[in-house]
Amino acid sequence: AERGEECPIVLAGGPCALNPEPLADFMDAFAIGDGEEVVIEIAEALRAAKGIPRAERLRRLSEIEGVYVPSLYETRTLADGTVIPVGPPVRRRVVESLDSAAFPADYIVPFTQQVHDRISLEVLRGCTQGCRFCQAGMVNRPVRERSIETLRGLQDAAIAATGYEEVALASLSTCDHSRVRALVAQSVEAATPRGTAVSLPSLRLDSFSVEMAEMVQSVRKSGLTFAPEAATPRLRAVINKGITDEDLLETTGEVFRRGWEVVKLYFMIGLPTETDEDVESIAELTRRVLANGRAARRNARINLGVSTFVPRPQTPFQWERQISIAETQAKQQLLRERLRGNLKF
């Protein structure tokens, strides 16, 4: 509210913008939903409005579908604390076809090393699994995928333009692509002559995923990551994670039999209805996975990652409480006690 005519217009987008009100006092405008198309429309609108009053520029932005300008809305607070903007509804932008969506194959490569120092090639958007804690799976509907022909062209262009030595076939669940076998085969075939590796950052807990991982890591088997999220059947049913202990043991056992030495497992603490038994079961199930793995490979290792559940807007768990710092530390200590020994935590 204190910004004058000389101040830049401050915008936000991405997943956090899907719950804009906590930031509404600080942002001039929000882009809600997929950004590839709307960001161009925003740039064009601001270019055409150059030199006119700031308030008018904001009004023109508000006319773009998917753009929310808080200063043009009144808000009212319900009895339960919910804040509701009063005004024309803002529709989330959805890119209907990923094949026609812009992809920056020639993006800038910095001199400094990035955390994800590779080409990240989005093969599909959305997820069919419907885990109740996952915002990305809930808001990126319907599921859309790029054709393998488009992906081949983008991969070749990105490798040529950037010189990166790794291409990640990125999505929430890459193995859900309708032609994933052909996709992985063509990616490896195209990347190998250039000395570029191919990776699958997201894998399901099934033998098919292991087969796909073996295709991309035929030379060096660095490690695979799986996310059971919860360690008891009851809690997995609560979060709608449709796997069993047997699925986890069978898949990780197959991973070790095929030559991998390290498997990383992701779990969460603080999920709705969680008990101490659920937390202790993380350690118990991890030990079972390790014992099963070492029956197949003597040097099998497990890396365990445990994060704290955060309720996300637009998910079935959006109104659930987040556990306190003290509760988090108590659950972490309980895990440490149960994990003493040969596990990396």
Side-chain angles (χ1 to χ4, degrees), residues 235-247:
L235 192 53
R236 283 196 292 265
V238 169
I239 66 177
N240 199 33
K241 191 77 175 181
I243 63 170
T244 65
D245 290 358
E246 290 69 30
D247 292 332

Side-chain angles (χ1 to χ4, degrees), residues 11-33:
L11 303 103
C16 291
L18 288 165
N19 185 35
E21 283 311 311
L23 289 173
D25 287 343
F26 309 96
M27 295 295 163
D28 292 308
F30 293 88
I32 309 296

